[in-house]
Amino acid sequence: MTTGSPLRIGIFVFDGAEELDVVGPYEVLASWAEHSELRPQVVTFSADGAGVRCAKGLRLVPEYSADDVGALHVLVYPGGRGTRPLAKDTDHLTWVREMAASTTLMTSVCTGALVYAAAGLLAGRPATTHRSAFDELAEIDPSVLADTEARFVDDGDIITSAGVSAGIDLAFHLVERLESPEAAEAVRYGIQYDRT
């Protein structure tokens, strides 16, 4: 897949998305973008380009719609209550599969993994999700190799992360993978995120 330069990362937002699932990775990735020689571009988008109301009431206005966001290298798909209806929306699941076919790296935070499982992306693969959602994950696709201990699971072209704050660790992993451990450490220092 070619998207030209720079490296483009899109964070999909939707009604009922968990706030930290969105803004945690955004903070890490946008901080990285400010200093990286790779000049990554981090954008937000919703299905129709309209604003969304997150799970606890935070309102966000994305930059793009799904139709006009353009090609991405990385998709970040948050979790939250809003994933449940999306995991049953056949049109949305078709879109997720189309994104997987054209996007180098698909990532999810928390219960975003439920949507990926419903789209068939996690069949027979290792993955994780929020600790309270493993039963739902198994109901959607019992072939998923659920990792109940990992903060994130990197399975090549798909990376899933556990609940909420684990999305921040996923974002640091992306910086390490796409640039270097040193770049990730510089972002950690800059936003004062201490490893646990």
Side-chain angles (χ1 to χ4, degrees):
M1 181 196 89
T2 59
T3 62
S5 183
L7 174 68
R8 296 190 79 236
I9 301 169
I11 301 176
F12 179 64
V13 297
F14 51 89
D15 287 331
E18 187 64 38
E19 281 83 347
L20 193 60
D21 289 7
V22 175
V23 300
Y26 184 89
E27 175 69 26
V28 172
L29 297 168
S31 296
W32 171 51
E34 288 181 346
H35 304 288
S36 174
E37 292 182 8
L38 297 178
R39 301 282 186 216
Q41 183 181 44
V42 183
V43 301
T44 56
F45 69 104
S46 65
D48 59 4
V52 300
R53 184 173 184 200
C54 294
K56 294 179 176 67
L58 179 68
R59 295 179 186 272
L60 297 174
V61 179
E63 298 168 80
Y64 299 102
S65 72
D67 287 338
D68 64 16
V69 70
L72 300 172
H73 292 89
V74 181
L75 174 66
V76 178
Y77 198 112
R81 290 190 298 267
T83 58
R84 275 51 171 211
L86 291 172
K88 297 174 182 174
D89 182 328
T90 56
D91 290 338
H92 183 71
L93 297 178
T94 296
W95 174 80
V96 171
R97 286 188 285 271
E98 289 169 353
M99 288 299 292
S102 64
T103 305
T104 304
L105 186 53
M106 300 284 286
T107 73
S108 69
V109 182
C110 192
T111 56
L114 300 180
V115 177
Y116 282 8
L121 303 186
L122 303 181
R125 301 180 70 158
T128 193
T129 188
H130 190 279
R131 64 177 148 220
S132 70
F134 283 106
D135 288 345
E136 288 177 88
L137 185 64
E139 286 173 16
I140 292 168
D141 185 347
S143 77
V144 176
L145 306 173
D147 187 331
T148 60
E149 301 298 322
R151 294 283 286 170
F152 59 85
V153 175
D154 186 334
D155 193 40
D157 59 338
I158 296 181
I159 307 174
T160 54
S161 67
V164 192
S165 66
I168 296 171
D169 294 339
L170 164 71
F172 279 115
H173 177 70
L174 282 174
V175 176
E176 290 183 11
R177 181 169 157 173
L178 296 171
E179 185 167 355
S180 69
E182 293 77 17
E185 194 57 41
V187 176
R188 262 190 204 94
Y189 182 81
I191 68 171
Q192 200 166 350
Y193 181 78
D194 297 326
R195 290 177 187 255
T196 55

